[in-house]
Amino acid sequence: MLTFNNLTIGYNKHPVIHHLNMHIEKGASVAIVGPNGCGKSSLLKGIMSFIKPMEGSISIGIEKNKIAYLPQSSTVDKTFPMTTLELVASGLLYKKGFLSSLNDEDLDLVNTTLDKVGLKGMADEPLKALSGGQIQRALFARLIIQDADLILLDEPFNAIDYKTIVELLKIVRMWIDAGKTVVSVLHDIQQVRENFVYTAVLSRELVAYGLTKDVLNRENLEKAFNNSFYPHKDANICNK
Ligand SMILES: Nc1ncnc2c1ncn2[C@@H]1O[C@H](COP(=O)(O)OP(=O)(O)OP(=O)(O)O)[C@@H](O)[C@H]1O
């Protein structure tokens, strides 16, 4: 489904992810863990082609429109003039082209999905009227509507209350049980252990990748988190 071939990505010639070789099977649930600033978000952005590899490549075994992406909540512009319904319906853009071309069936699907994520009656609310947790529920509704085969989640439960986390985790498990490939950046080790079969421990370079039960251990976490961490702009230009 997804292969990183000697992948180096970074900014202004300075590497953030360094010579990554890793393969993710179709239908796998993969957590990406590692210290702040080690390149987890950059890796997801690389998969989305928002940033280009400095070296190596990313092979994706499906079409781009079969990938859904949840960005880190801090990057979502809540002042954007849009209703909850429009945000969720934008998950159909790949299929429909324009929101104006949505038919009654599409709108029914959006409204049913809003109910599913606990946002019944919120369709016409502007985004600025939603709490952080409600925005995250709406973004999950958009992911459901997209019905993608590969789902990329960047810290999906950051600053979200316990009840919302439990409900959103049920959606993630539903995707995994349905055979979708789910790759998620997470900081909560317990969440990883309980929900993700595979884990990649990153620290710019890959520290370990394999079954969560085998690789999510103190030794690998210490290797990743004890790395002396410098801002990536001070990283040597890669000559490997
Ligand atoms: N657009 C950018 N331009 C320049 N540098 C960037 C850019 N985005 C990220 N970086 C730098 O790349 C490095 C990795 O950032 P990234 O957001 O991928 O890390 P992360 O592991 O997701 O961190 P966190 O856990 O804090 O979200 C950091 O040093 C960051 O400052």
Side-chain angles (χ1 to χ4, degrees), residues 209-226:
Y209 176 53
L211 290 170
T212 298
K213 66 181 176 57
D214 296 334
V215 302
L216 197 58
N217 53 37
R218 179 185 283 247
E219 189 191 346
N220 286 330
L221 290 173
E222 279 182 358
K223 263 192 216 159
F225 284 83
N226 288 348

Side-chain angles (χ1 to χ4, degrees), residues 11 16 35-42 72 155 187 204 232:
Y11 305 92
V16 168
N36 291 133
C38 78
K40 304 177 297 298
S41 298
S42 301
Q72 239 180 59
E155 298 192 31
H187 283 291
R204 298 245 166 91
H232 85 286

Side-chain angles (χ1 to χ4, degrees), residues 88-97 102 106 109-110 145-146:
V88 176
S90 67
L92 292 171
L93 280 180
Y94 269 127
K95 283 184 200 145
K96 294 285 168 172
L102 297 185
D106 299 327
L109 175 65
V110 172
I145 293 256
Q146 271 182 270

Side-chain angles (χ1 to χ4, degrees), residues 146-160:
Q146 271 182 270
D147 192 25
D149 293 330
L150 171 61
I151 299 167
L152 308 173
L153 307 171
D154 198 347
E155 298 192 31
F157 311 122
N158 206 11
I160 301 293

